[in-house]
């Protein structure tokens, strides 16, 4: 394992307390079994290679920040159902396989734009995710606690175990997912608009049934976990040498991404990810230059391995049509083959006068639309979407079929970090993306 990253600056790391507790936690983590297997990461890489070739689409979604208290069967089932329902619509509309990737089972650490948070004149360290400190606004809760890294592992393990059971144990049945979409179309104020797609999927399913087709893929799906590889202590402790190939895989999740705030070319995160064999994503915000993108390819995918590298662009609805074309054009001209996916959330966040962080559903859709337009114009493949969502009826993003207003945010704002699309907004997004496909 290449250790060069240790000498480089690592952004966004917690200031763990002195006294060796973090070393104890790391030592303990090293004795735990892997959460995912290297062979599964390779299988995902093969699917992402198909995305890069234009033969598949990625749906990546889940909470901005998972919480330890949120590890429960109901919330996970609702989230998975929502993702699977969305993927039925996208599979039908795109007539291509949809790679299902959760921001699930490991998304416990958050980069922050400011190191502290001030409320009513009191300034405390910022909340950095349940993996680091507590969300409660007290000095004690905001102290980084290394024992949280162990809880991160156990919470990830419990979540992944349940997710694996859900997707292989009948919960993922295609007809059931479609039946729930039919309910959505019937009950949503904007459902009329999607009746045609719903009817077409009905017909396709009836046709397959009439032909006697009943393959296992109608009842189970492949589902993969992903999170931002932010806390290098944790990610390194979960990195193991694959016995088949003798190469290192970070076994904390199948797919790991590097965030907009930690993608410095001379920083520790890029160098660390370079040494892994997992498929890797990098977020690219509006200040990314083509040279940055090409240098990231050189660092992270020097062998041009199909499926290795995914660029997750998050430009903002207002600038995606200006900033994205040059990146896609120069990367494509270089001969590199990456998967491009659109994160329409992180470039569209704003704060309401009442102090809620929110996003407009229309901006989210507009960024996806811009992303499709740019790729269509260049003849490249709009490879997928990356969204922050939940399967519950929260009120965190404004707009959508039920026309949530800023005044509604107070009713059910549960995110500890960024605002998520609720179930209905998520399904509506899937139908709108289906129309773009
Ligand atoms: C996120 O995905 O929650 C996030 C912080 O994104 P970004 O790195 O793109 O800002
Ligand atoms: Mn977020």
């Amino acid at each position: 394992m290449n250790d060069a990253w240790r000498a480089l600056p690592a952004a966004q790391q917690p200031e763990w307390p002195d006294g060796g507790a973090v070393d104890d936690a790391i030592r303990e983590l090293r004795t735990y079994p892997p959460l995912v297997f290297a062979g599964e990461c390779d299988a995902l890489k093969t699917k992402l290679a198909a995305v890069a070739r234009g033969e598949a689409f990625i749906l990546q979604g889940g909470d901005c920040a998972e919480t330890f208290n949120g590890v429960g069967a109901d919330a996970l089932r609702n989230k998975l159902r929502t993702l699977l329902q969305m993927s039925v619509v996208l599979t039908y509309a795109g007539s291509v396989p949809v790679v299902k990737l959760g921001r699930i089972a490991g998304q416990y650490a958050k980069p922050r734009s400011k190191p502290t948070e001030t409320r009513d004149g009191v300034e405390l360290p910022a909340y950095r995710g349940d993996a680091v400190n507590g969300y409660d606004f007290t000095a004690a809760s905001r102290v980084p606690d290394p024992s949280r890294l162990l809880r991160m592992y156990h919470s990830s393990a419990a979540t992944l175990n349940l997710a694996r059971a859900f997707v292989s144990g009948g919960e993922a049945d295609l007809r059931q997912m479609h039946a729930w979409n039919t309910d959505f179309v019937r009950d949503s104020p904007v459902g009329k608009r999607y009746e045609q797609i719903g009817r077409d999927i009905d017909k396709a399913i009836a046709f397959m049934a009439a032909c006697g087709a009943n393959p296992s893929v109608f009842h189970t799906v492949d589902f993969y976990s992903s999170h931002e590889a932010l806390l290098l202590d944790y990610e390194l402790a979960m990195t193991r040498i694959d016995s088949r190939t003798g190469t290192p895989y970070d076994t904390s999740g199948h797919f790991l991404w590097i965030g907009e705030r930690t993608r410095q070319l001379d920083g520790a995160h890029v160098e660390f990810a370079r040494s892994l064999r997992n498929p890797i994503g990098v977020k690219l915000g509006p200040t990314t230059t083509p040279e940055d993108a090409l240098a990231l390819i050189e660092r992270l995918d020097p062998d041009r391995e199909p499926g290795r590298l995914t660029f997750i662009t998050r430009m903002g609805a207002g600038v995606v049509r200006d900033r994205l074309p040059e990146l896609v054009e120069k990367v494509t001209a270089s001969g590199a083959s990456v998967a491009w996916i659109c994160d329409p959330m992180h470039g569209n966040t704003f704060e309401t006068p009442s102090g809620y962080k929110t996003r407009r559903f229309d901006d989210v859709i507009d960024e996806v639309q811009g992303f499709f337009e740019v790729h269509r114009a260049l003849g490249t493949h709009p490879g997928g979407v990356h969204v922050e969502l939940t399967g519950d009826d929260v009120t965190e993003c404004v707009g959508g079929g039920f026309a949530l207003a800023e005044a509604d945010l107070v009713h059910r704002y549960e995110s500890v970090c960024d605002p998520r699309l609720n179930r209905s907004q998520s399904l509506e997004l899937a139908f709108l993306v289906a129309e773009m496909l």
Side-chain angles (χ1 to χ4, degrees):
M1 170 104 198
N2 150 23
D3 261 355
W5 61 271
R6 287 184 183 281
L8 301 175
Q12 299 280 345
Q13 301 305 291
E15 289 178 24
W16 299 117
D18 296 335
V22 71
D23 298 322
D24 293 345
I26 291 169
R27 241 188 323 274
E28 173 130 1
L29 281 170
R30 287 193 164 285
T31 68
Y32 291 171
L35 292 171
V36 304
F37 295 113
E40 296 172 329
C41 301
D42 291 346
L44 174 60
K45 211 189 272 175
T46 302
K47 292 176 189 224
L48 297 175
V51 175
R53 288 195 307 271
E55 296 161 11
F57 193 78
I58 309 176
L59 174 62
Q60 185 176 23
D63 298 310
C64 176
E66 292 181 285
T67 61
F68 297 154
N69 284 335
V71 176
D74 290 349
L76 181 64
R77 187 193 51 230
N78 293 346
K79 218 180 299 172
L80 286 174
R81 267 188 197 169
T82 304
L83 278 170
L84 296 178
Q85 282 181 256
M86 294 169 77
S87 85
V88 170
V89 175
L90 296 170
T91 307
Y92 176 78
S95 294
V96 291
V98 173
V99 182
K100 292 162 277 284
L101 198 54
R103 279 177 71 109
I104 288 177
Q107 182 54 18
Y108 292 104
K110 298 309 301 172
R112 303 314 309 241
S113 38
K114 283 187 268 144
T116 61
E117 177 184 352
T118 304
R119 287 191 207 170
D120 303 325
V122 181
E123 187 178 19
L124 291 176
Y127 170 65
R128 290 184 175 273
D130 275 12
V132 176
N133 56 4
Y135 182 68
D136 285 349
F137 194 72
T138 65
S141 134
R142 293 291 169 95
V143 175
D145 173 0
S147 75
R148 287 175 169 273
L149 296 177
L150 304 179
R151 268 191 93 183
M152 173 176 182
Y153 174 91
H154 292 297
S155 302
S156 301
T159 304
L160 196 55
N161 179 53
L162 196 56
R164 290 186 192 273
F166 275 139
V167 299
S168 62
E171 276 284 325
D173 191 275
L174 173 66
R175 276 156 306 192
Q176 190 57 58
M177 291 304 140
H178 177 59
W180 283 324
N181 277 336
T182 310
D183 291 348
F184 164 75
V185 168
R186 191 190 55 224
D187 301 337
S188 160
V190 290
K192 277 260 165 302
R193 181 159 172 196
Y194 310 119
E195 267 178 349
Q196 190 58 45
I197 294 183
R199 268 202 301 272
D200 291 346
I201 300 177
D202 273 341
K203 273 197 212 153
I205 291 177
F207 173 72
M208 289 185 294
C211 295
N214 191 25
S216 62
V217 291
F218 291 177
H219 310 294
T220 65
V221 295
D222 289 332
F223 176 80
Y224 297 95
S225 67
S226 71
H227 62 268
E228 178 173 349
L230 183 70
L231 300 178
L232 295 172
D233 291 321
Y234 179 84
E235 303 300 339
L236 179 67
M238 291 307 297
T239 297
R240 308 291 157 78
I241 301 300
D242 172 26
S243 57
R244 305 166 312 162
T245 58
T247 54
Y249 284 74
D250 183 344
T251 65
S252 68
H254 297 108
F255 175 95
L256 302 159
W257 78 83
I258 303 170
E260 168 72 358
R261 292 167 190 77
T262 53
R263 64 172 168 77
Q264 300 81 9
L265 288 163
D266 50 0
H269 289 82
V270 168
E271 187 62 27
F272 172 71
R274 202 161 93 89
S275 62
L276 305 171
R277 299 314 312 142
N278 306 60
I280 300 291
V282 186
K283 294 281 201 96
L284 300 181
T287 59
T288 314
T289 64
E291 292 67 38
D292 293 337
L294 293 171
L296 284 164
I297 295 171
E298 213 40 59
R299 294 282 165 87
L300 291 168
D301 187 23
D303 301 328
R304 306 294 192 266
E305 183 189 5
R308 159 69 168 175
L309 187 59
T310 298
F311 280 149
I312 307 167
T313 62
R314 30 90 83 218
M315 300 286 156
V319 301
V320 61
R321 292 167 181 83
D322 300 329
R323 304 284 159 85
L324 188 57
E326 201 190 2
L327 290 186
V328 176
E329 212 165 13
K330 297 231 163 111
V331 166
T332 308
S334 79
S337 162
V338 301
W340 293 97
I341 76 178
C342 173
D343 164 359
M345 315 298 294
H346 289 89
N348 296 308
T349 317
F350 67 97
E351 198 173 311
T352 65
S354 50
Y356 286 103
K357 239 191 196 185
T358 190
R359 292 158 175 157
R360 286 187 198 90
F361 183 76
D362 288 350
D363 291 342
V364 169
I365 298 303
D366 189 35
E367 178 155 358
V368 181
Q369 179 76 50
F371 172 82
F372 270 78
E373 285 166 19
V374 168
H375 282 284
R376 289 276 144 79
L378 294 169
T380 49
H381 178 52
V385 288
H386 173 123
V387 278
E388 291 185 337
L389 59 76
T390 156
D392 299 325
D393 294 325
V394 301
T395 57
E396 298 173 5
C397 292
V398 295
F402 289 91
L404 277 184
E406 285 184 16
D408 295 321
L409 297 180
V410 64
H411 297 310
R412 206 175 155 188
Y413 196 104
E414 296 175 2
S415 176
V416 293
C417 197
D418 291 339
R420 303 160 296 178
L421 300 177
N422 61 26
R423 175 172 177 275
S424 150
Q425 291 167 330
S426 301
L427 294 175
E428 194 176 350
L429 172 112
F431 279 100
L432 287 166
V433 174
E435 290 181 347
M436 298 175 204
L437 283 166

